[in-house]
Amino acid sequence: MPTAREALLRSALAALADLPWSAIRMVDVASGAGVSRQTLYNEFGSKDGLARALTRREADRYLHGVERLLGERADAADRLVAVAEWTVGEARARPLLRALLTGCWGEWLPAPPPARAATATSAVPAQRRADAGPPGTADLVALVRDRSAAALRQDPRDHSQRTADPRDHGSRDHSQRDAGPRDPRPRDHAQRDHGRDELLYRCELAVRLALAHLIAPGAESVGPLVRTAVTAPLRAPLRAPLSAPSPRAGAR
């Protein structure tokens, strides 16, 4: 049985299917959840608090779905393709998620108000988290990128991310051997850094392609585009991922 808070969030989300956010009344949300209006205000504080909670819930549901998909497939490309395809499908079916991912808010949706001041904290722990504000589009991209990269690095079944150049085997000549042992650590560190940056780059590219396809759908589905992008050789030396980690993403 859902808690009163979850029932209220579901009631508010259901009301959005028929009415713009500005027309939704708190008393109707409470009635739809089968609780008193006072219970609603105790949980969320205000209609703005309810809006923040709705957007936070939608972002959390999306990130949980991403983590589930990343844990289901052994092949790196398959997992990134699955996340991209699922992102597009879910966002098309869930207008609130689409707005979070694209930053395109309309009058029908509860665009998240500014975060509440630290002095106005809620007595409800879940609402204190919601009042901090949902992740923005850049934050979500960074969160999906970083979680994808972490899942692919940690999974021993995936051998697609090499930490050493196979061309190095047997390539040292006699003069190199005669010169005595060399410290491999600087080169190993550089290779690891390059491999990490390349993985971050490909993970972010996958989610950005999904968002681009969501905004401007093409004739081809997003899956083949992502698979090509994450498996094709890089045409130029990689200097860094597409974007730096978001400070807000890191805090989460």
Side-chain angles (χ1 to χ4, degrees), residues 42-178:
N42 289 344
E43 283 290 334
F44 304 105
S46 65
K47 190 175 182 181
D48 281 350
L50 177 59
R52 283 188 287 263
L54 273 174
T55 51
R56 164 60 66 180
R57 175 180 180 267
E58 200 69 359
D60 287 346
R61 287 180 61 197
Y62 170 64
L63 292 172
H64 290 158
V66 167
E67 290 179 339
R68 174 181 57 80
L69 289 170
L70 290 170
E72 285 183 352
R73 290 163 173 78
D75 181 76
D78 283 348
R79 281 185 278 183
L80 293 178
V81 167
V83 168
E85 291 179 332
W86 183 80
T87 293
V88 172
E90 287 294 293
R92 286 175 176 169
R94 293 156 53 185
L96 191 52
L97 175 60
R98 180 188 176 96
L100 277 167
L101 288 171
T102 63
C104 300
W105 297 87
E107 64 176 10
W108 276 73
L109 299 175
R116 292 179 62 179
T119 56
T121 56
S122 170
V124 180
Q127 189 58 30
R128 288 200 297 271
R129 181 169 181 267
D131 284 342
T137 300
D139 295 316
L140 282 171
V141 169
L143 283 164
V144 175
R145 177 200 65 196
D146 293 345
R147 293 183 186 196
S148 298
L152 298 183
R153 281 197 301 263
Q154 292 172 3
D155 194 339
R157 297 171 299 175
D158 178 32
H159 302 289
S160 63
Q161 303 300 326
R162 294 183 178 269
T163 57
D165 189 338
R167 294 172 296 180
D168 286 346
H169 275 299
S171 62
R172 289 188 178 182
D173 57 23
H174 292 286
S175 62
Q176 289 177 311
R177 289 198 297 268
D178 293 343

Side-chain angles (χ1 to χ4, degrees), residues 11-27:
S11 175
L13 199 60
L16 274 172
D18 301 317
L19 295 170
W21 180 248
S22 60
I24 292 175
R25 302 188 307 164
M26 297 286 272
V27 63

